[in-house]
Amino acid sequence: MLDWAPEPSTLIAEVGLMITKDEILEAIRCLPDDATLDDALDVIFLLRSIERGRAQIEAGQGIPHDEARRRMAQWLR
């Protein structure tokens, strides 16, 4: 494990997520043959972000659709 990388169990415990090894491998298998390491990391971080969002919604921390649209309109100015 790299010195700067937190233990995977720490990341999972922090946000209450569980992305399985099989899900990660399947996502990587779907990448094109010329995919880079950055592409693979992007896919893994996308999976993590989706799981984090699902966990937040289940915990009642989501925001209504109209509020999300309002916030995005401000970001896109």
Side-chain angles (χ1 to χ4, degrees):
M1 171 112 349
L2 299 172
D3 292 340
W4 54 266
E7 290 291 326
S9 58
T10 303
L11 292 175
I12 292 168
E14 279 180 11
V15 293
L17 305 179
M18 185 49 132
I19 302 169
T20 67
K21 182 177 175 180
D22 287 338
E23 290 170 324
I24 293 168
L25 291 173
E26 181 59 29
I28 291 172
R29 277 189 202 102
C30 291
L31 290 171
D33 290 339
D34 63 346
T36 65
L37 176 59
D38 285 337
D39 295 333
L41 290 173
D42 286 345
V43 167
I44 293 169
F45 283 118
L46 176 62
L47 288 175
R48 182 173 177 255
S49 296
I50 291 168
E51 287 302 313
R52 176 181 277 167
R54 287 179 177 169
Q56 288 173 334
I57 289 170
E58 288 179 19
Q61 299 171 345
I63 61 171
H65 188 76
D66 292 339
E67 175 65 13
R69 282 182 174 270
R70 186 188 66 74
R71 290 183 188 185
M72 286 199 60
Q74 288 178 340
W75 297 337
L76 298 174
R77 287 185 193 181

